[in-house]
Amino acid sequence: MRNIAIIGSGPSGCFTAQGILKLRPDWQVDVYDKLPVPYGLVRYGVAADHQGTKNIVRQFERVFTRQGARFFGNVTLGQDVTLDQLRDAYDGVVLAAGLAGDRSLNFDTADGVIGAGALTRALYDHPDAPDLPDIGGDVVILGNGNVAVDILRLLAKGETEFNGSDLSPRATQWLTSRDIASLTIIGRSAAQSAKFDPVMIRELGKLEDVSIRVDDPLSGDEKGLEALRSIDGLNTGSRRITFSFGRQPKGIETQDGKITGLSVETEQGSETISCDALITAIGFCSDASVDRDALIESAEAIDDGHLAAGLYAAGWFRRGPRGTIAENRTDSLALAARIVQDIEQNLDCEKMGQDVLGLSTANMVTYQGWQRINEHETTQAMAARCRTKIHTRAEMLHQASTIKEVN
Amino acid sequence: MDVTILYGTETGNAEMLCEDIQAALEDAGHDVLMENLSDVNPTDLDIARVYLVVCSTYGDGELPASAKPFAEAMKDAPDLNGLRFGVFGLGDREYETFNLGSKQIEEMLIGAGATLITERVTHDASGSDMAEDVALPWAETVLATVEAE
């Protein structure tokens, strides 16, 4: 029997646990998360109206209920336990903490400039998220990845278009009461190089109250272009959406500390796109809870996820903010095979696992605690919602330890 | 009955569903093998077995990664006359490419002479049914249909 610790219970962490336990069902795999609740990006990054994508959680539930992995939520690395302590206690430690920080622009910021990650975490009830910002008027979304398209779609939807989602009453109210004059999505590259999945663009064709214009010439057979052509000219209602490509951001214009425009450079020269809010969706970076840069720099074989003896990295934490859940699954399963191989070659005495850490169990949330939270969130869901999330740590901890009376 | 479940998956959901189908069919006394399509060559298929093919859809209506090598090999036009199979598709009706992956697999196998047993059944990830609640009756129907022949 060997002991493995995985830091982060998002898709990469859970797939790594799944892979290890498929190969070695008798090993003990402990999955830690700084939040009291599991699943990371699936819960707080996958859009509230993409419940089908969240179905992947059913696999992860089995990792804990059938494959024997343990969940320990509300444990912060560097605060409740150090990386060195974990490495002393476990035969293998996997960092799968993701990348939660918003990559920022290289110029000054101002009121009205909002990072996509901060915004979506606020919309999806992340307990550490800031309040939802006050935005309206002409809104520019900078970025051409799937996150940018998620934000565009959410801002363009009306109330009934969120039926079946897990969007909270607060976020629904915020999204549907914005006084938005226009939504412009700006890409730095040309349309044919945009990173979003074509299927995400086609999905916009179902929006019920929008008029969409793509302001670039669109010849070419790329699937992305085909998808853009399929929505260009769509006119189902009043919310104006414009796609604009090939615009390099150069700086922002402000008045009284508030953004008034985004300066961009195009092949034809410079221009300023006036706006009242700028949402940047240009990638993610480490939120500095672990010194990721140093670990990656000194890694033994970063492409394989091998950082140092008994220490590994998975998912976005290893590869950077690229790749879908499916691609990261492939990575995680390959990493799992490598970990099993490495650890079995290491004939040193087996390490003792979690017991030697002396962690305080008082505030740790186990999988059973999560099941209580989950039960509460799904049974107390508001009308037309599949779930209404608890959005504070205190309430999560309360529900995790509340044992329901069975009549 | 000798049954082989083949799965094409990208996120692992189809694989998990096949584990459930395998367990249920084994409980019912069948001899069941399960294989990833990525490990299967069309010429290896055995007409003495019944094939249950479970396949998702990925990207813009494409086959999932694990089904792609199989689809490539199907271009060599293997003769699958006499092969009996059923198809179950996993998809998400949020997207207009709903279940195009399982449809492609079905068309390829029929094109090579194989016989589809009962109509293809699909599951919608955005719907309220659990995949196994739709897939288990499908698998039973396919096998019962073969048995009745």
Side-chain angles (χ1 to χ4, degrees):
Chain A
M1 207 271 276
R2 296 297 186 127
N3 287 287
I4 306 292
I6 296 176
I7 312 305
S9 62
S12 290
C14 285
F15 276 128
T16 305
Q18 181 192 60
I20 292 172
L21 289 168
K22 269 195 179 173
L23 295 166
R24 295 294 177 266
D26 63 320
W27 285 17
Q28 182 61 55
V29 177
D30 292 341
V31 183
Y32 292 89
D33 205 290
K34 67 178 178 182
L35 289 179
V37 293
Y39 310 139
L41 174 124
V42 183
R43 185 173 161 101
Y44 293 116
V46 172
D49 58 346
H50 278 174
Q51 291 296 318
T53 307
K54 294 185 194 245
N55 261 350
I56 199 171
V57 158
R58 298 197 59 217
Q59 291 184 60
F60 304 157
E61 288 169 353
R62 291 187 180 194
V63 173
F64 297 106
T65 58
R66 296 193 193 174
Q67 290 186 279
R70 298 189 295 186
F71 174 70
F72 297 105
N74 202 31
V75 178
T76 302
L77 188 63
Q79 189 178 308
D80 299 305
V81 65
T82 67
L83 187 55
D84 286 342
Q85 284 174 316
L86 285 172
R87 293 179 70 188
D88 285 342
Y90 287 92
D91 300 292
V93 175
V94 183
L95 298 173
L99 293 175
D102 279 300
R103 223 192 97 206
S104 54
L105 289 161
N106 293 325
F107 38 79
D108 288 345
T109 187
D111 276 357
V113 180
I114 302 135
L119 177 61
T120 51
R121 277 196 294 280
L123 286 171
Y124 305 152
D125 311 303
H126 192 293
D128 303 338
D131 288 343
L132 283 161
D134 182 22
I135 67 167
D138 294 314
V139 177
V140 167
I141 301 166
L142 181 65
N144 264 179
N146 290 340
V147 175
V149 182
D150 274 343
I151 289 172
L152 177 72
R153 187 184 69 254
L154 291 169
L155 284 169
K157 277 193 169 180
E159 189 158 351
T160 57
E161 293 176 272
F162 290 113
N163 286 354
S165 72
D166 62 5
L167 202 64
S168 68
R170 189 180 49 96
T172 307
Q173 160 76 16
W174 186 88
L175 280 170
T176 55
S177 65
R178 295 295 89 203
D179 188 13
I180 291 174
S182 70
L183 285 165
T184 305
I185 177 164
I186 292 177
R188 287 171 288 183
S189 56
Q192 63 268 19
S193 316
K195 289 195 176 65
F196 45 62
D197 285 321
V199 71
M200 296 273 297
I201 297 299
R202 290 185 192 282
E203 188 186 359
L204 302 176
K206 295 198 304 183
L207 291 171
E208 293 169 4
D209 183 24
V210 295
S211 63
I212 299 179
R213 192 168 59 86
V214 183
D215 78 354
D216 269 58
L218 296 168
S219 53
D221 327 320
E222 286 89 348
K223 283 204 148 194
L225 293 182
E226 222 175 86
L228 284 167
R229 280 195 295 268
S230 78
I231 59 163
D232 188 17
L234 179 79
N235 190 353
T236 58
S238 59
R239 294 166 213 248
R240 282 194 299 127
I241 296 176
T242 306
F243 277 81
S244 188
F245 298 96
R247 284 164 168 76
Q248 283 287 342
K250 288 295 162 201
I252 54 170
E253 299 192 354
T254 60
Q255 195 179 348
D256 305 327
K258 199 177 176 323
I259 187 165
T260 57
L262 175 70
S263 323
V264 296
E265 211 155 271
T266 71
E267 279 185 4
Q268 285 76 42
S270 307
E271 64 179 13
T272 298
I273 300 159
S274 69
C275 63
D276 302 296
L278 173 68
I279 300 167
T280 58
I282 53 171
F284 297 94
C285 57
S286 177
D287 65 0
S289 56
V290 190
D291 192 355
R292 175 174 178 266
D293 292 349
L295 286 166
I296 301 275
E297 237 168 66
S298 62
E300 298 210 2
I302 191 60
D303 289 345
D304 298 346
H306 191 206
L307 296 177
L311 184 64
Y312 301 87
W316 276 16
F317 190 88
R318 175 186 77 75
R319 58 192 274 157
R322 286 176 300 280
T324 58
I325 290 174
E327 289 164 60
N328 283 282
R329 167 179 177 265
T330 306
D331 262 25
S332 287
L333 296 182
L335 178 67
R338 166 160 192 155
I339 291 171
V340 167
Q341 191 188 10
D342 279 2
I343 288 177
E344 288 187 338
Q345 275 171 4
N346 178 358
L347 300 174
D348 288 354
C349 61
E350 294 173 14
K351 294 188 182 174
M352 301 297 291
Q354 194 195 47
D355 292 348
V356 300
L357 286 174
L359 284 171
S360 153
T361 55
N363 284 321
M364 269 199 308
V365 178
T366 61
Y367 192 74
Q368 202 183 22
W370 156 245
Q371 286 176 310
R372 294 191 192 112
I373 295 172
N374 187 39
E375 172 80 13
H376 179 87
E377 290 186 337
T378 49
T379 56
Q380 307 290 312
M382 310 291 288
R385 295 290 179 271
C386 62
R387 169 191 301 276
T388 297
K389 289 181 198 165
I390 296 171
H391 65 92
T392 66
R393 282 171 185 265
E395 180 62 10
M396 286 173 180
L397 295 178
H398 172 68
Q399 287 300 334
S401 58
T402 301
I403 294 154
K404 296 277 178 332
E405 297 283 338
V406 179
N407 293 318
Chain B
M1 198 174 302
D2 292 340
V3 182
T4 300
I5 305 171
L6 300 176
Y7 62 89
T9 196
E10 182 94 28
T11 64
N13 289 342
E15 181 178 356
M16 179 177 84
L17 177 61
C18 288
E19 289 167 1
D20 290 354
I21 298 171
Q22 182 179 33
L25 295 182
E26 282 176 348
D27 286 348
H30 297 287
D31 173 34
V32 188
L33 298 175
M34 183 174 130
E35 285 186 280
N36 191 333
L37 275 170
S38 64
D39 301 329
V40 175
N41 197 301
T43 53
D44 299 337
L45 301 180
D46 175 2
I47 60 166
R49 306 186 72 84
V50 178
Y51 286 86
L52 298 176
V53 185
V54 176
C55 190
S56 63
T57 302
Y58 205 71
D60 205 12
E62 293 150 39
L63 287 170
S66 95
K68 283 183 176 165
F70 181 86
E72 252 331 284
M74 284 297 289
K75 288 183 183 160
D76 299 336
D79 178 9
L80 299 181
N81 265 298
L83 190 86
R84 295 160 302 171
F85 76 102
V87 176
F88 188 85
L90 290 167
D92 190 337
R93 223 177 265 284
E94 285 285 325
Y95 305 110
E96 63 177 35
T97 53
F98 179 66
N99 257 302
L100 288 184
S102 58
K103 186 159 177 264
Q104 283 184 55
I105 287 277
E106 174 185 287
E107 286 168 357
M108 267 172 220
L109 291 170
I110 292 174
T115 306
L116 177 69
I117 310 294
T118 76
E119 268 182 54
R120 180 170 57 106
V121 172
T122 57
H123 175 257
D124 172 17
S126 289
S128 53
D129 296 320
M130 294 288 191
E132 60 271 26
D133 292 343
V134 190
L136 294 178
W138 159 80
E140 284 159 12
T141 305
V142 172
L143 299 192
T145 307
V146 172
E147 227 146 27
E149 275 173 359

